[in-house]
Structure formats: C-alpha cells, structure tokens
C-alpha cells in the first residue's frame, strides 16, 4: 500500500497518517504550536528546504489544519500560517507522541516540561471512558464497527 492510498482507507488511524505521517509535517506543527507563523521563521527554525516546507504548509492549509493569512510588513504584503480549530485539535496527538518519547526515548529525562499556565502543574494525556470516566489502556478496549465503516463498505 502506497502512502497516498492511506487517505482512502476506512480507518481513522490511517487517514490522519496520510496527512501527518512524515517527519516534516509533524515538526511544522510542533513549531506552529510554539508560535511560529511566518514561512521564513519556519525555515530558519527547521533548516528544511524551501520546497519541502512550502509543500508541507500547502498540504496543511489544503486540509484545513492551518490557515494562510495576509499581513503587511513595512515593504509588502506577506502571509502567515495560523492553526485552525482542526489544527488545534491535533495538540493532544502531539502531546501523546511527546509523552511516549519522554518515556522511551529520553533516558536522561524530558527535553521540555509542559506546565499548566494557571497552576504550574505538569500536563499529561489520558484516555478516558466517556461513560464511566475510567482511565483505559489498550487492554481495556474492544473495537466495534462504526457507521463510517458501514458507509464505506456500501461504496
């Protein structure tokens, strides 16, 4: 299966992977959450080629994760990239990746500590049952077909 074919699969893990599944896209998103908005600032902070960066930003705009907005500097009109609601909803995904990386790939401890601005507490990602509120793990989950899978099988 080719990477581009993932977007057509009836799976809510594979479809996002078709958009987010390369390192530069995730790094662009990390920088966007850190407040980077301008093309030149993305490029300076990442060291990625202009062509690769332009393509990743274009795809994220096209998919509605980022919004391209015009602004005027002293000499001309330029554009910046802002996270949309759809983009902001990716924050828990990045934080889950970060938590896993801190646990398994950072033997000397976290590289960055994420604290709640209001109280200073550390942040964590939890998977909760929407019925009883219990923390759940992979051992507690039982997958079942949803309406999207049934609709996909009719096409």
């Amino acid at each position: 299966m080719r990477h581009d074919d993932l977007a057509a699969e009836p799976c809510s893990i594979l479809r996002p992977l078709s958009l987010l599944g390369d390192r530069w896209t995730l790094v662009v998103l990390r920088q966007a959450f850190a407040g980077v908005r301008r093309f030149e600032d993305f490029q300076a902070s990442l060291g990625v080629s202009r062509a690769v960066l332009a393509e990743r930003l274009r795809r994220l705009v096209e998919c509605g994760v980022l919004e391209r907005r015009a602004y005027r500097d002293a000499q001309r009109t330029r554009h910046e990239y802002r996270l949309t609601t759809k983009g902001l909803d990716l924050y828990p995904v990045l934080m889950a990746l970060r938590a896993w990386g801190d646990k398994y790939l950072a033997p000397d401890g976290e590289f960055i500590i994420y604290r709640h601005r209001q109280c200073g507490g550390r942040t964590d990602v939890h998977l909760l049952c929407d019925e009883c509120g219990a923390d759940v793990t992979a051992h507690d989950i039982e997958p079942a077909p949803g309406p999207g899978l049934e609709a996909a099988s009719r096409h």
Side-chain angles (χ1 to χ4, degrees):
M1 182 180 307
R2 291 188 359 241
H3 190 267
D4 291 341
D5 295 337
L6 299 177
E9 286 295 308
C11 175
S12 294
I13 294 173
L14 294 180
R15 285 183 177 188
L17 189 59
S18 72
L19 171 64
L20 305 172
D22 74 85
R23 65 181 176 180
W24 288 119
T25 300
L26 290 174
V27 176
V28 166
L29 286 171
R30 181 196 68 183
Q31 294 306 94
F33 278 108
V36 176
R37 294 189 177 130
R38 298 176 179 167
F39 186 95
E40 293 77 16
D41 296 336
F42 278 111
Q43 189 179 29
S45 66
L46 300 176
V48 62
S49 76
R50 292 182 68 81
V52 168
L53 179 58
E55 171 60 18
R56 295 319 182 273
L57 290 169
R58 184 196 62 73
R59 285 181 61 214
L60 290 168
V61 168
E62 188 176 274
C63 291
V65 172
L66 293 176
E67 177 182 63
R68 189 173 182 245
R69 290 189 193 166
Y71 71 92
R72 181 126 182 106
D73 69 9
Q75 296 139 5
R76 61 185 172 153
T77 300
R78 295 178 171 226
H79 292 90
E80 64 181 8
Y81 298 87
R82 299 261 185 154
L83 288 158
T84 62
T85 300
K86 187 176 182 179
L88 290 168
D89 283 347
L90 284 168
Y91 195 69
V93 174
L94 293 180
M95 290 298 99
L97 282 170
R98 183 235 357 128
W100 187 88
D102 285 348
K103 184 173 182 177
Y104 295 107
L105 302 175
D108 297 323
E110 307 101 321
F111 296 104
I112 297 174
I113 297 171
Y114 293 81
R115 295 195 179 275
H116 183 214
R117 286 181 201 230
Q118 190 172 3
C119 73
R122 287 180 176 236
T123 60
D124 199 4
V125 178
H126 293 280
L127 189 59
L128 303 174
C129 174
D130 69 351
E131 188 70 30
C132 69
D135 280 330
V136 294
T137 69
H139 298 292
D140 304 311
I141 303 296
E142 181 180 346
L149 185 59
E150 293 172 16
S153 67
R154 289 191 295 267
H155 293 110

